[in-house]
Amino acid sequence: MSDEPRMLRWRVRVLATAGALLVALAAASAPRPTPLQQANALLARMTLDEKISLAADGSAGVPRLGIPGLAMADGPNGVRPGPPSGTAFPTAEIVAASWDSALAARFGTALGAEAAGKGFNLLFAPTVNILRTPRWGRAAETLGEDPFLAGRIVAAEIQGMQNQHVIAQVKHFAANNQEIQRTGNPFGVPLLSPAVNVLVSERALQEIYYPAFKAAVQEGGAASVMCSYPQINGLYACQNPATLGALKHDWGFTGFVGPDAILAVRDTLAAINAGVDNFQLGGVGLPPVQVLHQVAMERLDDMVRRILSAMFSVGLFDPPAPGVVGTPEHRALAAEIAASGSVLLKNDGHVLPLGPGVGSIAVIGYDAGPGTQTAEGGSASVVGGPVVTPLDAITARAGQGVQVHYAPGTLGVVPLPTVPAGVLTPSSGSGPGLLGTYYASMDGSGSALGAFVSPTLDFATALIPGAHSARWTGTLTTTTTGTHRFSLEHAGVARLSIDGQLVASGDNEGLGPVLGLLGAPPQTFQGLASLTPVKPSSITLEYSVGSAVVGSPLHLGWQPPDPTLVAAAVAAARASDVAVVFANDVTGEGMDRSSLALPGDQDGLIAAVAAANPRTIVVLHTAGPVLMPWLAQVAAVIEAWYPGERTGDAIAALLFGDVNPSGRLPMTFPADETQGPAKTAAEYPGTNGAVHYDEGIDVGYRFYDRAGEQPLFPFGHGLSYTSFALDRLRLTRRHGGTIHVSVRVTNTGARAGAEVVQLYVGFPDSTGEPPSQLEGFAKVFLKPGQRHRVRMTLRPASFAVWSTAEGAFVVQPGVYALRVGTSSRDLPLGASVELRSGR
């Protein structure tokens, strides 16, 4: 046989192989379609019903086309629902207090991995609403008062989270800065009354309340955004074309918008037209499936395209990531975050860290033991692993050679025992108890529906049918002279007055029992009254269903004076080398704090302990600033926030110097209740259904600087066990308006530690801006004697202000002051640059 046919076949095979190889190489080198291109290709294959199903809910996905369902979960501080138990991380404000973007990215990665491990692919996180008032009940789950700091932290966290194939739904867009009246009065008069109307300038939105969301979208790549409950300038946030238009059109956001649960959407069609794309959390308007049949195909396709694009952008169509839940590595990270974000506020006489000379320690406070506060209540609560309490961790770290004495000193910030009927006499009728009068109105006005005596005020349902408010009156007769504690646990609005003086009050949706109180005590409002058995005291409790969403539960508790509790704590402190007092507040979703004072009898406990032992250290488990009337009496204060399940490990490491404190305040601590913005009722919590943001762009330290108020502790403040020196500030101007700022940092102390270098820009007076604003920061770890040059970058946007006239950010001409230091009030290094105008 001739070799020619064989040779021909061989050549054909070679050519075929080469062709296949070329095709494979071409395919490999071809750019991968973008998420938007992939979404469009899949969208073209969907039926009308499939599109409507995905936009209306999305939980079922579209199995025919391999589109996964959207599986949603709460998650700012961990993954709340679903087994198995996950990691109860520290609350998000601690990540912000670390001033560490790399740590935020690691936190986001762990959070995403735990969501994937629990079977969720969409996490309601992070929360980036600016802390306008320190009373906000959700301060713990957000990132402080400064938009630049919040933007850097959130971008890093989102990148880490979405790398785990989990969509981050950043929330709550926008100007959602209080819990009071955020949903109106859902079960009041009228039903589904309007939510509070936030009256805020466009400039404040653009410069204060938008930037963290903008960074989340443009730098973090957030695939989803949650719109909030309140109205913004007359339109609900989820039905507001202006705010959602800024998100989608001005910032180039290609992901999808989902509403907060149920009450955020009052008109389904208006929400769709404004920019809401998915309704899995529901609404009180018409059913989405019904409305979506009426929507133009162009808008429906846009909704579905955005959902699909978000899925492709985080890899939901790729092989699933191997999610993990509650690993030792995650629990170690939780302890690391808690320690890194704790802030040493005061350390007189170098009482900290505790050294080998300490032979005995008094650990004091209900919050130090099993009742330690690790989280806020509500949707941010997480089913975590076993909590390491401060008492257990301090005892273990101290070792056998150190005596640890524990005394709670207080019953804790919890519901107190019910005020007994025997001490109550009604204002009329037969007793014992208080006379309750019930009204159909929301404020106790009009004709009474009924009146009768209740022996105690301990109700699962406080109101009679048809009533929306009530008032209980009578007298209280005690057998003990001294300070009495009272507690209100309720849903709605309650006000307790004794002898005409307001003792305790609170406005609470009552979501705690519904969403969980894991790591947080029951939401209560506490007060004190000085009573004597010489004469009965008048007592009035006013109640309205208010913004309650769980009926009308109401519990009035009290604690007569019990000197033995404080006496035992004082004795333990006096017998010890040092005393460590743990104190906490109570916050959570659906409520705001009614006061910045530590609740209950904790201030008195701290003062008594400090009088017995000048080497008293106070550890605060609070959501934000608290007043400190005892500050001058104590040696040291640590703000430990709500530190998650490994709280004890973190605080023990700080107390004994295993970890050098490096946290810095992400919010200003006022010296008293009168400081800071939002001073009037119209400005907070609002009047006649509206809250006026009259402070404009002067939020947080910006307000303090403009008003010349001296805070208790400034934004950015934090101490260390070592010392640092900053010098040799240098500026380098680059093409395009970029300015590189560098400064040399030297560890001048004897311990290794981290310093946070902060860069503030002072604007010309003509801009109308506050005196200075954070525009750069860097955290650097140095060994003793080590030096490092820290570099930060200013871009044209760092100098831009919002022009209402031009509807854009502009750089106004003038001289700009650059200041570098370690807090908003400690800026020893300075330079100036002159800029021309521009956009």
Side-chain angles (χ1 to χ4, degrees):
M1 175 184 246
S2 169
D3 289 336
E4 289 184 7
R6 187 181 299 115
M7 184 64 69
L8 181 61
R9 289 195 298 272
W10 177 80
R11 288 175 177 172
V12 169
R13 285 197 298 270
V14 170
L15 289 172
T17 302
L21 180 59
L22 288 173
V23 171
L25 289 173
S29 61
R32 183 176 181 177
T34 67
L36 184 58
Q37 291 170 332
Q38 293 172 296
N40 279 328
L42 197 53
L43 177 65
R45 300 169 57 196
M46 296 179 68
T47 67
L48 175 62
D49 287 343
E50 288 169 343
K51 294 176 183 179
I52 289 175
S53 174
L54 194 61
D57 184 275
S59 59
V62 182
R64 181 181 71 87
L65 298 175
I67 299 174
L70 290 173
M72 304 176 172
D74 288 316
N77 313 316
V79 184
R80 184 173 70 87
S85 295
T87 305
F89 288 99
T91 52
E93 66 184 345
I94 305 183
V95 183
S98 75
W99 292 61
D100 189 336
S101 298
L103 185 63
R106 292 169 56 205
F107 170 58
T109 299
L111 200 55
E114 296 226 342
K118 284 193 169 190
F120 300 108
N121 58 23
L122 172 59
L123 209 55
F124 299 145
T127 303
V128 299
N129 298 104
I130 294 299
L131 187 66
R132 176 179 180 251
T133 168
R135 294 190 181 193
W136 186 31
R138 300 182 81 168
E141 68 177 85
T142 191
L143 303 174
E145 70 187 25
D146 182 75
F148 181 84
L149 173 63
R152 301 290 77 72
I153 296 297
V154 73
E157 181 181 333
I158 288 171
Q159 289 172 3
M161 189 188 310
Q162 294 191 159
N163 283 340
Q164 300 300 303
H165 300 198
V166 172
I167 294 172
Q169 187 170 96
V170 62
K171 61 185 188 180
H172 313 81
F173 190 71
N176 183 98
N177 308 108
Q178 65 186 61
E179 297 300 281
I180 293 178
Q181 286 294 299
R182 65 171 183 159
T183 61
N185 300 318
F187 299 102
V189 180
L191 283 171
L192 302 177
S193 65
V196 68
N197 184 18
V198 174
L199 301 178
V200 56
S201 69
E202 183 66 19
R203 184 174 184 179
L205 286 172
Q206 295 286 348
E207 294 191 19
I208 302 296
Y209 301 107
Y210 280 173
F213 287 98
K214 190 174 182 179
V217 168
Q218 294 186 338
E219 300 172 32
S224 186
V225 173
M226 176 188 289
C227 52
S228 59
Y229 289 119
Q231 300 176 73
I232 302 175
N233 296 324
L235 292 174
Y236 281 100
C238 294
Q239 299 167 197
N240 196 315
T243 56
L244 295 181
L247 168 68
K248 288 187 168 184
H249 307 306
D250 298 349
W251 305 346
F253 175 61
T254 60
F256 70 93
V257 173
D260 210 334
I262 304 175
L263 291 166
V265 172
R266 309 294 181 105
D267 182 326
T268 308
L269 182 59
I272 292 171
N273 290 336
V276 173
D277 304 298
N278 178 271
F279 290 86
Q280 189 173 135
L281 287 183
V284 295
L286 292 173
V289 171
Q290 175 182 336
V291 177
L292 285 166
H293 278 285
Q294 308 168 25
V295 173
M297 185 59 66
E298 181 181 6
R299 174 64 183 120
L300 178 59
D301 283 352
D302 175 59
M303 298 168 73
V304 176
R305 182 183 297 110
R306 288 176 173 277
I307 296 169
L308 295 175
S309 180
M311 290 179 170
F312 279 113
S313 72
V314 303
L316 292 195
F317 291 90
D318 298 334
V324 291
V325 180
T327 64
E329 292 78 14
H330 286 179
R331 303 202 191 283
L333 177 61
E336 180 184 350
I337 293 170
S340 297
S342 293
V343 183
L344 180 62
L345 298 175
K346 178 180 179 179
N347 191 23
D348 283 359
H350 300 289
V351 66
L352 290 175
L354 303 179
V358 173
S360 55
I361 304 170
V363 177
I364 294 167
Y366 178 91
D367 183 65
T372 187
Q373 176 137 8
T374 63
E376 62 182 299
S379 61
S381 295
V382 179
V383 179
V387 173
V388 180
T389 70
L391 175 61
D392 289 344
I394 290 171
T395 302
R397 176 59 181 81
Q400 294 183 350
V402 178
Q403 291 184 318
V404 176
H405 309 285
Y406 174 61
T410 172
L411 294 182
V413 188
V414 297
L416 298 172
T418 303
V419 178
V423 302
L424 300 174
T425 303
S427 55
S428 67
S430 58
L434 296 178
L435 175 67
T437 308
Y438 301 85
Y439 303 88
S441 66
M442 293 286 288
D443 59 0
S445 62
S447 301
L449 294 177
F452 54 87
V453 174
S454 294
T456 61
L457 273 59
D458 185 18
F459 305 116
T461 301
L463 297 176
I464 63 175
H468 294 91
S469 64
R471 184 182 299 111
W472 291 270
T473 57
T475 58
L476 182 153
T477 304
T478 181
T479 59
T480 310
T481 297
T483 300
H484 291 59
R485 284 184 62 194
F486 291 87
S487 68
L488 288 171
E489 184 185 19
H490 65 282
V493 179
R495 293 170 53 88
L496 172 68
S497 298
I498 296 178
D499 289 330
Q501 299 296 312
L502 183 65
V503 172
S505 65
D507 189 330
N508 188 11
E509 292 177 357
L511 285 171
V514 177
L515 294 176
L517 291 167
L518 304 160
Q523 295 171 348
T524 59
F525 298 87
Q526 307 265 337
L528 304 173
S530 181
L531 304 179
T532 174
V534 174
K535 69 178 185 68
S537 295
S538 65
I539 180 171
T540 301
L541 179 57
E542 300 168 285
Y543 175 79
S544 169
V545 69
S547 56
V549 296
V550 293
S552 58
L554 175 64
H555 171 87
L556 174 63
W558 82 330
Q559 178 198 3
D562 183 1
T564 60
L565 281 170
V566 175
V570 167
R574 188 173 288 123
S576 302
D577 293 331
V578 296
V580 186
V581 185
F582 288 80
N584 70 300
D585 62 7
V586 176
T587 66
E589 183 175 0
M591 64 170 287
D592 286 350
R593 288 192 287 168
S594 57
S595 168
L596 296 184
L598 281 172
D601 53 356
Q602 295 177 110
D603 281 333
L605 173 63
I606 294 171
V609 170
N613 189 331
R615 290 169 58 82
T616 291
I617 301 152
V618 177
V619 179
L620 297 170
H621 285 156
T622 65
V626 292
L627 305 181
M628 304 182 196
W630 33 260
L631 182 62
Q633 300 171 253
V634 303
V637 181
I638 296 175
E639 176 56 78
W641 318 102
Y642 297 161
E645 65 183 57
R646 297 293 292 273
T647 172
D649 291 338
I651 201 63
L654 289 167
L655 292 174
F656 288 93
D658 303 329
V659 172
N660 190 36
S662 64
R664 302 292 182 264
L665 291 180
M667 61 192 71
T668 306
F669 275 40
D672 58 53
E673 297 270 14
T674 68
Q675 289 190 333
K679 296 179 184 293
T680 68
E683 293 172 325
Y684 173 81
T687 55
N688 301 318
V691 55
H692 297 255
Y693 283 34
D694 292 340
E695 72 281 354
I697 59 175
D698 294 339
V699 176
Y701 67 90
R702 292 166 168 81
F703 182 94
Y704 285 79
D705 290 348
R706 177 103 74 182
E709 294 181 349
Q710 182 61 42
L712 189 64
F713 296 106
F715 173 82
H717 171 75
L719 304 177
S720 172
Y721 295 155
T722 189
S723 56
F724 299 91
L726 277 59
D727 63 4
R728 299 191 182 184
L729 175 65
R730 294 177 184 171
L731 307 183
T732 305
R733 301 186 73 154
R734 300 292 188 186
H735 179 71
T738 297
I739 300 174
H740 295 301
V741 181
S742 68
V743 62
R744 188 177 69 171
V745 186
T746 305
N747 185 338
T748 58
R751 288 176 173 266
E755 179 60 287
V756 177
V757 181
Q758 303 166 36
L759 168 62
Y760 293 79
V761 173
F763 288 68
D765 292 341
S766 61
T767 64
E769 291 292 299
S772 66
Q773 303 183 64
L774 182 73
E775 292 292 347
F777 65 89
K779 191 168 190 175
V780 57
F781 182 88
L782 299 173
K783 297 177 181 179
Q786 187 178 7
R787 293 174 175 172
H788 181 76
R789 180 159 287 278
V790 168
R791 293 172 173 81
M792 296 163 285
T793 300
L794 295 173
R795 295 177 173 82
S798 305
F799 304 97
V801 300
W802 181 258
S803 170
T804 302
E806 298 190 39
F809 279 96
V810 299
V811 176
Q812 296 189 17
V815 176
Y816 292 74
L818 308 185
R819 305 183 184 99
V820 178
T822 55
S823 82
S824 64
R825 291 293 177 93
D826 182 15
L827 302 169
L829 303 182
S832 62
V833 295
E834 186 171 1
L835 300 178
R836 298 178 180 178
S837 61
R839 288 197 178 189

